[in-house]
Amino acid sequence: EKFCPKGLKQLLLTHPDQDHLGGAEFLLKNIPVSTVIYNGEWRDNRSNSNLRDTIEDLQIDLQEDLPGMLLDKSKTVRLKVMGPPPTGVCKSGNERSIILLVEYFNTRILLNADAGFEEEEWLLNWGEIISGIDILKLGHHGSSGSSSAEFLEFTQASLGLISAGRRNRYGHPAAELLQR
């Protein structure tokens, strides 16, 4: 039995790493989803293959994101795709993560997925749109290769959030990042 009968309009997969799409196949099989949005990349592994097969079997619309695309706009919330850069501008994988700007009433939140220095440098091209952020989800689980001093200074976030499990095998968040 479906546990969310109304379903979801869109499911966004930031990039094809297992820690960012691992539960997507289960979700798609249990909740109606109209559209899956992804960064245009798949990995050559069983998990990615199973997910693609599920999307096809359930006849879910698969859409590649485009920077600048507005995903949702209402009186209270606005979701805008800020990244990834076009194919070839940054290396594939983390540096082509889908980045979202969430505007909720007067609060601006930048969700950086696994972006590192390379994608952050490209994001600076958005200029004032990403300056004056209230909340910044720091890139790549707080790794040392994300959230550069230049990027942090430019976005001017008053709060930074890190998505990392306690005592994770990578040692995230990195001391260098916390210092910045």
Side-chain angles (χ1 to χ4, degrees):
E1 182 177 328
K2 304 282 185 195
F3 55 85
C4 183
K6 289 187 178 185
L8 300 173
K9 181 178 171 184
Q10 300 163 326
L11 173 65
L12 188 126
L13 306 173
T14 60
H15 62 292
D17 284 357
Q18 185 62 25
D19 61 326
H20 287 258
L21 56 77
E25 184 180 359
F26 174 83
L27 189 139
L28 293 172
K29 288 179 177 179
N30 289 282
I31 297 175
V33 174
S34 298
T35 304
V36 171
I37 299 171
Y38 78 123
N39 74 343
E41 296 179 3
W42 293 108
R43 297 275 158 73
D44 188 19
N45 61 43
R46 187 173 61 202
S47 177
N48 275 231
S49 180
N50 289 345
L51 179 57
R52 287 193 315 264
D53 289 348
T54 298
I55 291 168
E56 187 176 312
D57 292 347
L58 295 173
Q59 299 179 348
I60 297 170
D61 182 38
L62 182 63
Q63 180 178 341
E64 190 171 336
D65 75 303
L66 297 170
M69 180 169 65
L70 199 58
L71 295 181
D72 197 12
K73 183 179 180 181
S74 69
K75 290 180 180 179
T76 57
V77 71
R78 181 179 162 168
L79 302 173
K80 185 173 184 176
V81 176
M82 305 307 293
T87 304
V89 173
C90 290
K91 60 184 171 241
S92 65
N94 292 343
E95 300 296 347
R96 291 204 66 253
S97 292
I98 294 177
I99 309 298
L100 280 183
L101 176 62
V102 179
E103 295 174 317
Y104 180 70
F105 289 98
N106 293 324
T107 302
R108 301 177 74 236
I109 306 163
L110 191 62
L111 302 174
N112 256 17
D114 272 2
F117 295 156
E118 188 179 5
E119 187 170 8
E120 290 172 357
E121 187 175 328
W122 179 84
L123 283 168
L124 293 175
N125 292 317
W126 284 101
E128 293 301 314
I129 294 173
I130 64 164
S131 182
I133 297 298
D134 298 295
I135 301 170
L136 175 63
K137 187 271 180 194
L138 301 172
H140 200 208
H141 311 283
S143 75
S144 61
S146 67
S147 305
S148 70
E150 178 186 16
F151 189 74
L152 292 173
E153 186 176 323
F154 187 82
T155 58
Q156 302 172 359
S158 56
L159 177 65
L161 303 176
I162 297 171
S163 173
R166 187 173 184 206
R167 294 190 196 109
N168 63 80
R169 66 181 177 183
Y170 300 104
H172 296 326
E176 306 94 291
L177 172 79
L178 295 175
Q179 199 73 30
R180 287 193 291 272

